[in-house]
Amino acid sequence: FRRVLFRSRRVWPWRYPDFMERLKVALLAAEVPAVSPRDLRVTFATLKAEAGCPMPVLAELMGHSDPMMAARYYVRVNAKALRDGAERY
């Protein structure tokens, strides 16, 4: 049994090696630095949080039952958000 990374819109799930191969091809075509699936999850979570997505919704979108899991391990605060927060509060 191979690990399932996530389900695609098609019937079958994407397997980790299949995803990594597609990601590698896409990154080369876009001429961007290498990233990992975790990097993509962190970026997704951070952008959603910065846009005001409530943590319970973000946790659900990421497949976590505990909103603190998403906040603790995936959401990063960038320098602009820190400056804005310091000025606002």
Side-chain angles (χ1 to χ4, degrees):
F1 180 82
R2 295 184 335 195
R3 292 184 348 204
V4 173
L5 183 62
F6 57 84
R7 290 214 167 266
S8 68
R9 290 181 186 257
R10 298 182 303 269
V11 176
W12 60 89
W14 279 16
R15 307 288 178 187
Y16 186 81
D18 301 331
F19 175 78
M20 290 306 294
E21 183 59 34
R22 289 175 187 233
L23 179 61
K24 184 173 136 183
V25 169
L27 293 172
L28 286 171
E31 298 179 356
V32 296
V35 297
S36 70
R38 186 173 191 287
D39 294 332
L40 298 175
R41 287 179 65 82
V42 168
T43 300
F44 172 82
T46 300
L47 292 174
K48 288 290 187 188
E50 287 175 357
C53 183
M55 277 299 136
V57 174
L58 181 58
E60 184 70 26
L61 290 171
M62 296 185 72
H64 291 289
S65 58
D66 179 8
M68 290 309 297
M69 178 76 166
R72 184 177 304 123
Y73 293 105
Y74 293 105
V75 176
R76 302 292 184 257
V77 179
N78 65 41
K80 182 182 181 315
L82 286 174
R83 280 192 308 275
D84 292 349
E87 291 172 6
R88 186 174 188 187
Y89 304 106

